Amino acid sequence: MSTALRIAHGAFGRVALLDMDRSLVRHAHPHCHVLIKAEGADTQFAVGGRLVPLTDTQVVLINSWEPHAYVHFQDRPRTVILALYIEPAWLKCFRPNWSASGTSGFFERPAGEMSPRLRSLAMELAAAMLEDPTARSTQEQLLSDLMIAAIERFTPWRTFSNLLSRTSADRDRFDWRIRRAIDLIRTDPSLALDVETLAREAGLSRAHFYRMFERATRMTPHVYANVLRMEVAVASVMAAPDSLALVSERLGFSAPAHFTRFFRDHAGVTPSEFRAVARLGTTGPSPYLC
């Protein structure tokens, strides 16, 4: 069973050190997502319809809202992965146009060659998380250096102003019916399970609505809603004092066991383990934003 070794969270988003031995379902994140192999066997992620290797010399790069899945072959040993889920607002503090990290074209390719500096920074961050999970300022400084190095190496950051303009224009061209469905899902993620209602609210047949939604967002309504549900789940599990049973009920699961399975399929670990590990680093100075 996969294990969360450490989880750090703050204004930067979150960073997880995960010991993985099982696949994850197709999902996405509203973050800039960087995956680095810390130790163990080489592995892979499914991104953009193809398998992208994660190795000692190659990092996996996933754009905000880009569907992907972790693919673990059962005959391979475990892999320890340093997974970064970085908030665009935090990156904007370093350079204003790095808010483009929230757009679909931030990383031009789903993988890049690891430099010695990136490798060193990643290993320092992983070691710092293991040695003292409460040393948040040290971890954030290492994370800052790591993300700056990654962006400078793997993105055309000098042209991000053009990317932001193009992405804004693309968003404005979303069919109003799909925008309405997205607004409904954001209000109540459980509606994604009722495609008939969403299609009716959008004034479309079920089949036409489904095609238009997937063409616009690159994912089904169900997967889109699961992204939103998972982010609410992660925030609730990390920060809220509520019982997991109450979190499960609030998110619309019929039983806590269903919520546990949903969370494990998306994060690799159970919500109870995620909460316990995330709370190891809750003391110390608060991470800053800008």
Side-chain angles (χ1 to χ4, degrees):
M1 182 174 177
S2 298
T3 303
L5 301 176
R6 290 290 186 270
I7 298 169
H9 55 95
F12 51 81
R14 64 183 182 272
V15 179
L17 193 61
L18 304 170
D19 187 351
M20 300 293 292
D21 71 347
R22 69 190 302 271
S23 296
L24 301 181
V25 298
R26 189 169 182 261
H27 61 287
H29 308 282
H31 305 100
C32 165
H33 193 25
V34 178
L35 297 145
I36 298 170
K37 176 188 161 185
E39 65 178 41
D42 290 348
T43 189
Q44 56 278 310
F45 284 78
V47 187
R50 67 185 181 92
L51 287 180
V52 180
L54 178 66
T55 69
D56 289 327
T57 59
Q58 180 166 279
V59 59
V60 173
L61 309 163
I62 300 173
N63 288 309
S64 174
W65 291 98
E66 183 171 20
H68 60 283
Y70 176 57
V71 181
H72 182 87
F73 296 146
Q74 292 304 312
D75 61 343
R76 292 191 184 182
R78 306 166 77 95
T79 306
V80 177
I81 299 173
L82 183 66
L84 316 180
Y85 312 80
I86 306 302
E87 291 285 356
W90 184 73
L91 288 177
K92 186 179 179 181
C93 296
F94 299 102
R95 288 186 180 274
N97 67 347
W98 285 7
S99 61
S101 57
T103 67
S104 61
F106 185 66
F107 294 122
E108 292 184 309
R109 290 176 294 277
E113 183 181 354
M114 179 78 74
S115 69
R117 174 168 168 74
L118 278 172
R119 186 74 189 167
S120 175
L121 288 169
M123 294 305 97
E124 284 186 58
L125 176 57
M129 293 173 68
L130 288 171
E131 290 168 7
D132 186 358
T134 66
R136 301 170 75 185
S137 59
T138 298
Q139 293 171 24
E140 186 163 0
Q141 184 58 60
L142 287 168
L143 176 61
S144 300
D145 293 342
L146 176 59
M147 284 306 302
I148 289 170
I151 289 171
E152 290 181 342
R153 182 171 179 83
F154 299 128
T155 73
W157 61 270
R158 290 180 178 82
T159 63
F160 281 169
S161 58
N162 296 332
L163 174 61
L164 285 168
S165 299
R166 185 173 70 252
T167 302
S168 178
D170 289 343
R171 186 169 54 247
D172 291 342
R173 286 197 294 270
F174 265 27
D175 188 284
W176 67 269
R177 294 165 293 188
I178 300 305
R179 289 201 304 269
R180 173 166 173 74
I182 288 173
D183 289 342
L184 289 171
I185 293 173
R186 286 183 176 275
T187 302
D188 180 5
S190 65
L191 274 177
L193 301 176
D194 186 359
V195 178
E196 294 287 354
T197 297
L198 289 174
R200 184 168 60 251
E201 290 290 333
L204 297 166
S205 70
R206 177 189 173 97
H208 192 195
F209 167 75
Y210 208 89
R211 286 194 300 271
M212 288 183 65
F213 192 98
E214 195 161 13
R215 186 163 60 243
T217 65
R218 297 178 297 158
M219 63 187 87
T220 66
H222 183 62
V223 172
Y224 186 94
N226 280 345
V227 175
L228 302 179
R229 292 175 95 190
M230 189 60 191
E231 287 306 308
V232 173
V234 166
S236 299
V237 167
M238 285 195 303
D242 301 329
S243 69
L244 295 179
L246 184 57
V247 174
S248 170
E249 181 181 352
R250 188 181 299 131
L251 287 170
F253 292 93
S254 58
H258 297 162
F259 171 57
T260 295
R261 184 165 56 251
F262 168 84
F263 198 99
R264 187 177 60 237
D265 287 346
H266 284 78
V269 299
T270 65
S272 58
E273 181 184 355
F274 193 97
R275 168 175 276 180
V277 175
R279 289 182 174 179
L280 289 175
T282 54
T283 60
S286 298
Y288 57 85
L289 180 61
C290 298

